[in-house]
Amino acid sequence: MKRDAFRILQATETVIYLFAGFLIAGGAAVLLVSSLVEGIHHLVAGDYGEVALGLLDRVLLALMLAEILYTLLRFAREGTLEPTRRMSFSYAVLCLKKK
C-alpha cells in the first residue's frame, strides 16, 4: 500500500516538474521571439540604444529561465538539489542586474 502511494506521488511530482519545464521553455521561446520582433522594429526606427538594451535585458531573462529549467530537470532526474557553479553565476547576474 505504501509503495503504491509512493509511486503515485513520484509520478505526480514528475508530471508537475514536466509541466513547469514546458511552461518555462515556452515562455523563454516567446520572450526571445518577441524581443527579436521588437528589436527589428526599434532598429528600423533608428533606436539603436533601445535595441541593445532590450535585447540584453531579454536574453539575460531567457538565460535565467534556462537556469531554472536546468534546475527543474536536474531535480526531477536526481531527486536532490545542490548549488552548482552555473546557479551561482546566474544569481550573480541577477544581483548585478538589480543594481
Side-chain angles (χ1 to χ4, degrees), residues 43 62 64 92 94:
L43 193 61
M64 285 184 227
L94 177 64

Side-chain angles (χ1 to χ4, degrees), residues 3-4 7 10 15 18 27-29 32 41 48 59 70 84 86 97:
R3 189 175 297 163
D4 292 336
R7 285 184 185 166
Q10 274 187 319
V15 167
L18 285 172
L32 289 174
H41 175 72
Y48 303 115
V59 166
Y70 170 79
T84 63
R86 289 181 63 197
K97 188 176 175 187

